[in-house]
Amino acid sequence: MKSRSKKDIQDERRARRQLAIRAKVRSRCYFCEKKMEPDYRQEEILIRFLTKRGKIRPRTRSGLCSRHQRAIARQIKRGRNLGLLPYRIVA
C-alpha cells in the first residue's frame, strides 16, 4: 500500500471543500430567471434569502446577481421595518 504525502492529502481536502461549496450555490439569479423584481410583500420569497438566524444570505450563498442582491437586502429591511419579516428567527 502506497502512503500518501501531506500535500496529496491537503489537495484532496481542498477539492472536497470546493465541491461542497459549489453544490450549495445557485448558478443563475432567481429573479433574472423568473424575470421579476423582489418585493417586500412577498414574504415566502424573501424568507428563502434569510439564514436560520434571520440574517440576509451573502451573494455567494444566495446565487443572486449584484443588482438583485442589493434589491433583496433593501426589500428585506423594508419588510422588517413594516413588521412583515422578523428581525430575528428564534428556533
Side-chain angles (χ1 to χ4, degrees), residues 28-44:
R28 292 224 1 168
C29 176
Y30 175 82
F31 295 104
C32 289
E33 280 182 353
K34 302 273 186 181
K35 295 183 180 173
M36 58 185 279
E37 293 297 317
D39 188 22
Y40 67 92
R41 292 169 281 190
Q42 300 170 329
E43 298 171 45
E44 61 282 345

Side-chain angles (χ1 to χ4, degrees), residues 27-76:
S27 60
R28 292 224 1 168
C29 176
Y30 175 82
F31 295 104
C32 289
E33 280 182 353
K34 302 273 186 181
K35 295 183 180 173
M36 58 185 279
E37 293 297 317
D39 188 22
Y40 67 92
R41 292 169 281 190
Q42 300 170 329
E43 298 171 45
E44 61 282 345
I45 293 176
L46 294 181
I47 287 176
R48 294 176 60 183
F49 299 100
L50 294 175
T51 63
K52 291 178 184 175
R53 300 188 72 184
K55 296 179 180 181
I56 300 171
R57 288 191 193 276
R59 185 171 164 233
T60 55
R61 294 284 180 204
S62 66
L64 297 176
C65 64
S66 58
R67 176 176 154 225
H68 286 119
Q69 180 69 27
R70 288 191 302 271
I72 200 87
R74 198 176 315 116
Q75 297 303 324
I76 287 172

